[in-house]
Amino acid sequence: MTVAVETGLWQLDATASTVGIRHRTMWGLVTVKGGFGALSGTGEVRPDGSAVGTLTFDVASLDTGNAKRDTHLRSADFFDADHHPEITFAARSAELRDGDQVHVVGQLTVRGISRPLSLTARLTDGNATGLTLDTEFSVDRDQFGLGWNQLGMIRGLTTVTAALRFVRAAN
């Protein structure tokens, strides 16, 4: 599938977008899943077809279906939402390659710690008024100061999944 994406400014449609996390806990026996309810983002498709943009997730909006766990995840043990209320991903370069594959290079910032992140997304829908990108990638939470690990219960990588719907920004 080859999709032509219009140049110009794009806005994340938060109501049609999802960002979730998945992590195995309890010595790998339980998988905790959650999602961020408050998302925002903007992007620009340049005349050469490349794109740049920023996504922001409100840490306090993380919902894993367990209020006690969510409160702990927002605490200084994990995301420290009082001091670092947002997670951001700044896409420095996004290029459509091999039909529907989008190669993205950027910077992920969690708890005030920024690390480079490269990923591949799939352009699943695109036209003059909207486009959707789907991706799944893994993050080592220790790289972002999320090392709390009582009794060795939490190990390994966190998987992030996202379905991001962008619409043309109003001029």
Side-chain angles (χ1 to χ4, degrees):
M1 173 178 88
T2 301
V3 177
V5 176
E6 297 285 325
T7 60
L9 300 178
W10 294 79
Q11 184 76 38
L12 183 72
D13 179 352
T15 62
S17 299
T18 59
V19 174
I21 59 172
R22 193 171 65 239
H23 195 94
R24 294 184 65 84
T25 65
M26 302 295 286
W27 305 282
L29 301 175
V30 175
T31 299
V32 173
K33 297 178 183 178
F36 291 93
L39 316 168
S40 62
T42 58
E44 179 184 5
V45 177
R46 297 172 171 165
D48 68 359
S50 68
V52 295
T54 303
L55 296 171
T56 303
F57 319 123
D58 180 353
V59 171
S61 75
L62 179 61
D63 181 3
T64 65
N66 179 310
K68 185 176 179 181
R69 177 175 49 225
D70 293 347
T71 298
H72 189 211
L73 288 171
R74 293 179 191 117
S75 77
D77 284 344
F78 285 97
F79 289 108
D80 195 9
D82 288 344
H83 296 102
H84 305 285
E86 297 176 337
I87 295 171
T88 59
F89 179 70
R92 308 277 188 237
S93 167
E95 297 177 359
L96 188 61
R97 298 181 182 167
D98 302 322
D100 63 353
Q101 301 297 304
V102 181
H103 179 68
V104 182
V105 176
Q107 192 94 356
L108 180 64
T109 303
V110 180
R111 281 186 65 117
I113 299 169
S114 296
R115 298 279 186 253
L117 177 67
S118 296
L119 59 95
T120 300
R122 194 166 64 92
L123 183 60
T124 59
D125 178 36
N127 57 45
T129 59
L131 63 94
T132 302
L133 294 170
D134 289 334
T135 189
E136 180 173 303
F137 58 91
S138 294
V139 175
D140 181 349
R141 64 189 190 87
D142 286 341
Q143 290 187 335
F144 296 96
L146 301 169
W148 187 89
N149 190 9
Q150 188 175 40
L151 303 174
M153 291 191 315
I154 304 171
R155 289 195 178 110
L157 302 175
T158 298
T159 301
V160 178
T161 57
L164 305 170
R165 179 73 181 162
F166 287 89
V167 294
R168 296 286 295 190
N171 294 331

